[in-house]
Amino acid sequence: MEESKQLPLLSLIVPVLNEEESIGPFLDAIQLKLAGLPADLEILFIDDGSTDGTITEIERAAAYDNSIRYLKLSRNFGKEAAMTAGLDHAKGDAVVPIDVDLQDPPELIHEFVRLWQEGYDTVYGMRASREEDGRRKRASAGLFYRVFNHLSHTYIPPNAGDYRLISRRVVDVIRQMPERNRFMKGMFAWPGYPSTGVEYDRPARFAGETKWNYWKLWNFALDGLTSFSTWPLRIWSYIGGVIALLSLIYMVGIIIHTVIAGVEWPGYASIMSAVLFFGSIQLISIGVLGEYIGRLYVESKQRPIYMVDKD
Ligand code: UDP
Ligand code: MG
């Protein structure tokens, strides 16, 4: 036991929302698959406002294993906030956010740690395939990463999730990022530093069900884009410029036509289409402004990102 003092400490951050049936199997898998890891483990559960027996399960496990710690948030704040709480409270020299549903295979951590000890600050898991996701989800995720990486200076590797190892210095950078709209995938990538990926096959959830739906995913994508790019705001000057130019050409055309052919009354269709077209362009651009202003409003309130009820 004396020599285990030399080992680095690795913190697993495990956000959980109503996962009572997953806690036990998760801990068993960790124990089984991470035996012989050249690091001491700290398992930090963040109960994100569960309303089932999740916290009882965690307390029971923590009672006889002192590498297990937990935080209980005062209500459901969302996975991103729960991970933030985990990053703030983890003590490790490196940190691995991991899902409790075993969709993030624990055995991958051996490879994470090996590459970390080779000098990488971030080692992210990359899904080799997204078979379990279904066609529509895969296509929309693919589109999102393409758009994001085009618009943002921060590159996020497609098919990388939150499952990754990040070193202490990256954790400390992320802890200095005060934003309330926390798109963690982008925030994990923002600090830079040497990083690499490891491929894995992501299995299906083994118990319980996903907390995502399309509406949540859409808002998640908007959070990501607005947090890491101002392009959607700025593009309207260019769209406006192009439309103004086209209008000018059209105007000159009409004037010449009128001079040559005289005044014509009919024109309902063209006027109607112009009114509708410009109306919708303006609404869209105001909507985009709204997306940013809404987020600015949230940021300006400076509310805490999460509240701890018990730790
Ligand atoms: N989770 C959370 N708070 C939430 C939603 C989810 O802490 O508001 C946790 C959940 O318990 C799980 C992890 O985040 O450990 C991933 O959630 P899920 O499996 O539903 O996401 P998916 O794997 O489908 O992307
Ligand atoms: Mg899952």
Side-chain angles (χ1 to χ4, degrees), residues 9 41-43 61-70 91:
L9 181 66
L41 273 190
E42 166 189 65
I43 302 175
Y64 64 84
D65 183 344
N66 54 20
S67 66
I68 299 176
R69 293 171 53 212
Y70 66 93
K91 299 188 177 125

Side-chain angles (χ1 to χ4, degrees), residues 181 287-301:
N181 294 297
V288 173
L289 278 180
E291 294 289 339
Y292 279 88
I293 292 174
R295 285 171 174 81
L296 278 173
Y297 177 58
V298 170
E299 298 294 338
S300 69
K301 284 191 283 195

Side-chain angles (χ1 to χ4, degrees), residues 21-274:
E21 71 274 66
S22 302
I23 307 282
F26 171 78
L27 289 170
D28 292 343
I30 293 293
Q31 201 163 40
L32 190 74
K33 305 264 177 65
L34 292 190
L37 190 76
D40 286 327
L41 273 190
E42 166 189 65
I43 302 175
L44 177 56
F45 285 105
I46 298 93
D47 178 25
D48 187 18
S50 297
T51 51
D52 65 354
T54 298
I55 197 71
T56 326
E57 286 295 317
I58 297 174
E59 277 169 344
R60 182 161 39 208
Y64 64 84
D65 183 344
N66 54 20
S67 66
I68 299 176
R69 293 171 53 212
Y70 66 93
L71 286 178
K72 183 179 181 311
L73 303 188
S74 59
R75 63 169 169 84
N76 177 246
F77 283 90
K79 184 183 176 188
E80 316 286 297
M83 279 197 291
T84 303
L87 291 175
D88 286 344
H89 290 83
K91 299 188 177 125
D93 303 301
V95 164
V96 174
I98 182 170
D99 287 359
V100 76
D101 56 14
L102 294 177
Q103 285 194 286
D104 300 333
E107 59 272 22
L108 210 63
I109 293 175
H110 289 283
E111 190 63 9
F112 283 179
V113 168
R114 192 182 67 74
L115 288 162
W116 169 47
Q117 287 175 340
E118 269 183 20
Y120 289 103
D121 285 278
T122 299
V123 188
Y124 47 85
M126 284 184 301
R127 308 183 198 180
S129 71
R130 297 182 61 133
E131 295 300 333
E132 87 295 347
D133 265 351
R135 276 245 307 283
R136 264 199 313 178
K137 189 163 174 205
R138 245 179 310 160
S140 49
L143 179 70
F144 171 74
Y145 287 114
R146 266 207 308 283
V147 172
F148 185 98
N149 284 328
H150 254 91
L151 297 187
S152 160
H153 290 299
T154 306
Y155 174 79
I156 52 177
N159 298 327
D162 296 324
Y163 188 35
R164 61 185 64 215
L165 177 145
I166 50 181
S167 68
R168 175 47 59 184
R169 63 173 176 170
V170 174
V171 174
D172 289 341
V173 174
I174 294 171
R175 291 188 58 198
Q176 289 174 43
M177 298 169 77
E179 56 247 60
R180 270 67 192 161
N181 294 297
R182 300 186 77 79
F183 183 66
M184 288 308 259
K185 257 185 260 217
M187 295 176 65
F188 283 140
W190 186 87
Y193 295 121
S195 64
T196 186
V198 178
E199 285 210 330
Y200 72 102
D201 285 312
R202 190 168 164 89
R205 205 174 221 287
F206 88 103
E209 50 192 56
T210 178
K211 274 89 195 165
W212 289 104
N213 56 42
Y214 275 98
W215 179 241
K216 278 194 186 174
L217 280 174
W218 166 248
N219 281 295
F220 187 59
L222 285 186
D223 267 342
L225 284 175
T226 52
S227 303
F228 283 87
S229 171
T230 52
W231 254 105
L233 269 182
R234 292 184 296 138
I235 198 167
W236 297 100
S237 339
Y238 300 97
I239 293 178
V242 170
I243 293 178
L245 195 73
L246 293 178
S247 315
L248 200 72
I249 295 171
Y250 185 60
M251 220 168 74
V252 172
I254 292 178
I255 291 172
I256 294 175
H257 183 83
T258 312
V259 168
I260 295 172
V263 178
E264 274 178 55
W265 281 110
Y268 178 76
S270 56
I271 290 176
M272 236 4 225
S273 10

